[in-house]
Amino acid sequence: MKKRQLIWTFLLICTFSVSCLFTSCGSDDEKKLNKYVEYSLDYFDTATSITGYEENQEDFDRVSDEILKELAEYHKLFTIYHRFENFENLCTINDLTDGVHRTVTVDKRIIDMLLYAKEMYQLTDGKVNIAMGSVLSIWHDYRTAGLDEPWLAELPPMDKLVEASKHTDINNLIIDEENSTVFISDPEMKLDVGAIAKGYAVEMLARSLEEKGISGYVINVGGNVRTVGSKPKNEKWLAGIENPDKDSDEGYLVYLGLAGESVVTSGSYQRFYTVGDKNYHHIIDSKTLMPAEGYLSVSVVCKDSGKADALSTALFCMDFEDGLALVESLSDVEAHWVFEDGTRKTSGGFDKYVTER
């Protein structure tokens, strides 16, 4: 999807704020709060928006500038595609020296994210596995080549994928919290945090605001949406789940009212390339080593944006019955599935978030 399209698709939550001016309640000298929005295309290769209510532009700019500064740091730490001079990140963890990985001393934020990713691996029974980089990098290369030269697009050879899958054991990711080091013991293993990095970064940004007592904001990084408190007068933010059927007149399937929660969608309709007459998307099932089948999109609503990001990917790779059982076992999680035939199903408590536009 082109970046311009990403902006319009992912910034629904900003567009549907019904008023740009509110008055706070419970104060002797009432304050007028205006809505402000900041956009960026600089981080995690996607569109970012920050929406917030403040008395003036200067107060909003101070908060949004700090958010973007922190987001830039997470982008630099978590990228697997870019190296920076005298700087250790996930890309340098993946690097080989004389055919082996080295022990890398990293920022604590990398340690914390990797430990969280291991938690999500356990929670999803391996469906979210950041050690899948050897497989995902093959798909990435073939997808990139197929997009650059569609007439030459082809699928990765299965024998190549199978060989790469032998090097995806997350237990070979050795994390030393005390010394803040990371080591990959399998020379042919690579990390890929695409199923968790954006959501985790957004969650950390939101928690930073909450710790400072800042409310009335929404952070949206490529569709990883996290609300921080509510709008003025305790009104909820309005977020939409996009219709994966691009031929439909309905742009959104359902609208959600959020106040302090996040919503993340994984879908097959945005990032894909075409081989023959079939589209092959980017969500790879670790069992089949092929793009997962069965759904057009899966959306997850919960407090933690990192968990929502991981679970939306995991559920996309699970049978509905198993996915529903997982969601229902978690007290703070709800989900919405769109099947390939267009039918929809939801978890038991999903409707509590549904609202009118």
Side-chain angles (χ1 to χ4, degrees), residues 98-130:
D98 296 328
V100 297
H101 296 290
R102 61 189 175 88
T103 299
V104 184
T105 302
V106 297
D107 188 288
K108 184 178 183 299
R109 287 169 290 184
I110 289 181
I111 297 292
D112 291 342
M113 185 274 292
L114 294 179
L115 290 172
Y116 189 78
K118 283 199 168 188
E119 290 181 25
M120 292 301 102
Y121 177 88
Q122 295 297 327
L123 180 66
T124 64
D125 194 26
K127 292 296 183 181
V128 173
N129 182 7
I130 62 169

Side-chain angles (χ1 to χ4, degrees), residues 214-227:
I214 297 173
S215 186
Y217 274 76
V218 176
I219 304 169
N220 182 347
V221 181
N224 289 258
V225 174
R226 173 66 148 82
T227 61

Side-chain angles (χ1 to χ4, degrees), residues 183-250:
F183 173 63
I184 302 174
S185 59
D186 180 350
E188 297 189 57
M189 190 177 104
K190 297 179 183 179
L191 299 180
D192 187 310
V193 296
I196 196 170
K198 282 189 297 180
Y200 181 87
V202 169
E203 181 62 25
M204 294 302 102
L205 297 174
R207 292 185 188 183
S208 178
L209 293 184
E210 291 170 342
E211 289 169 1
K212 297 170 185 174
I214 297 173
S215 186
Y217 274 76
V218 176
I219 304 169
N220 182 347
V221 181
N224 289 258
V225 174
R226 173 66 148 82
T227 61
V228 182
S230 59
K231 297 193 295 185
K233 293 188 176 181
N234 292 320
E235 293 188 16
K236 294 186 176 183
W237 298 93
L238 190 65
I241 292 180
E242 189 177 1
N243 190 344
D245 180 3
K246 295 307 175 184
D247 295 326
S248 173
D249 292 333
E250 290 185 77

